[in-house]
Amino acid sequence: MGHKLIQYAADTFKWCSGILIGLTVILNFIAVIMRYALSNPIMWCEEISLLLFVSAISFAIIPMTYSRRAVKLDFFTDLASPKIQAFCQIIVELVSGFVLGTVSMLGITLMMRTKYRFTPILQIPYKYIYLVTVIGMGISAIIFIYHSFEDIKKLRVISSEKIK
């Protein structure tokens, strides 16, 4: 159940990230045409592009974490035994989960401190821009911790099979 839920979340955020990148490209293309071909710039384009781009990057972290492409130490661990490699993977996932969770919590503090700060033209509260970062890093932290517990379970199964 937990694995399917995390996989569904990762797939959903992968699609969201792709759509947001596509919208950013389209919006900026239209803005360039409006500015240089029609001499009528879109004043709010930068603000929306900022929100879309930050959201896309924050959401892209989630599927990368799920597919284990976010943090790799293969160069250093390939020389070690498989058991040491497994321990290193668990440690990296736990530390990464802790760090992303801490950054996510600090992001909540930042959101509370910027409740009266808005973008200049559209008056978008900056707390919403910071919120997408908190969501992306918080979910990635959960996935890192989940992967580390799954690896610990696998390591225990392998160790108990070797004893028999």
Side-chain angles (χ1 to χ4, degrees), residues 33-63:
I33 299 297
M34 292 293 291
R35 176 179 296 264
Y36 295 110
L38 303 175
S39 297
N40 188 12
I42 302 173
M43 301 307 266
W44 47 266
C45 178
E46 183 178 351
E47 293 177 12
I48 297 297
S49 292
L50 171 71
L51 181 61
L52 292 174
F53 188 69
V54 169
S55 301
I57 297 303
S58 296
F59 292 165
I61 294 171
I62 297 168

Side-chain angles (χ1 to χ4, degrees), residues 91-103:
I91 289 169
V92 165
E93 288 170 345
L94 285 173
V95 169
S96 298
F98 177 75
V99 168
L100 284 175
T102 303
V103 170

Side-chain angles (χ1 to χ4, degrees), residues 101-111 134:
T102 303
V103 170
S104 184
M105 294 302 292
L106 291 173
I108 292 171
T109 305
L110 181 64
M111 285 174 54
V134 169

Side-chain angles (χ1 to χ4, degrees), residues 22-133:
L23 288 174
T24 305
V25 169
I26 291 168
L27 178 64
N28 284 311
F29 177 75
I30 292 170
V32 167
I33 299 297
M34 292 293 291
R35 176 179 296 264
Y36 295 110
L38 303 175
S39 297
N40 188 12
I42 302 173
M43 301 307 266
W44 47 266
C45 178
E46 183 178 351
E47 293 177 12
I48 297 297
S49 292
L50 171 71
L51 181 61
L52 292 174
F53 188 69
V54 169
S55 301
I57 297 303
S58 296
F59 292 165
I61 294 171
I62 297 168
M64 287 179 55
T65 303
Y66 176 74
S67 63
R68 295 180 179 219
R69 291 185 300 183
V71 178
K72 292 283 188 180
L73 297 174
D74 295 344
F75 177 76
F76 298 108
T77 59
D78 281 347
L79 302 174
S81 69
K83 196 167 192 173
I84 292 175
Q85 288 178 7
F87 281 125
C88 288
Q89 182 70 26
I90 291 168
I91 289 169
V92 165
E93 288 170 345
L94 285 173
V95 169
S96 298
F98 177 75
V99 168
L100 284 175
T102 303
V103 170
S104 184
M105 294 302 292
L106 291 173
I108 292 171
T109 305
L110 181 64
M111 285 174 54
M112 290 179 197
R113 290 183 180 181
T114 59
K115 61 182 167 185
Y116 301 114
R117 187 169 174 221
F118 300 92
T119 59
I121 297 171
L122 295 178
Q123 297 296 308
I124 299 170
Y126 272 95
K127 65 181 177 183
Y128 295 138
I129 296 172
Y130 299 138
L131 175 65
V132 294
T133 305

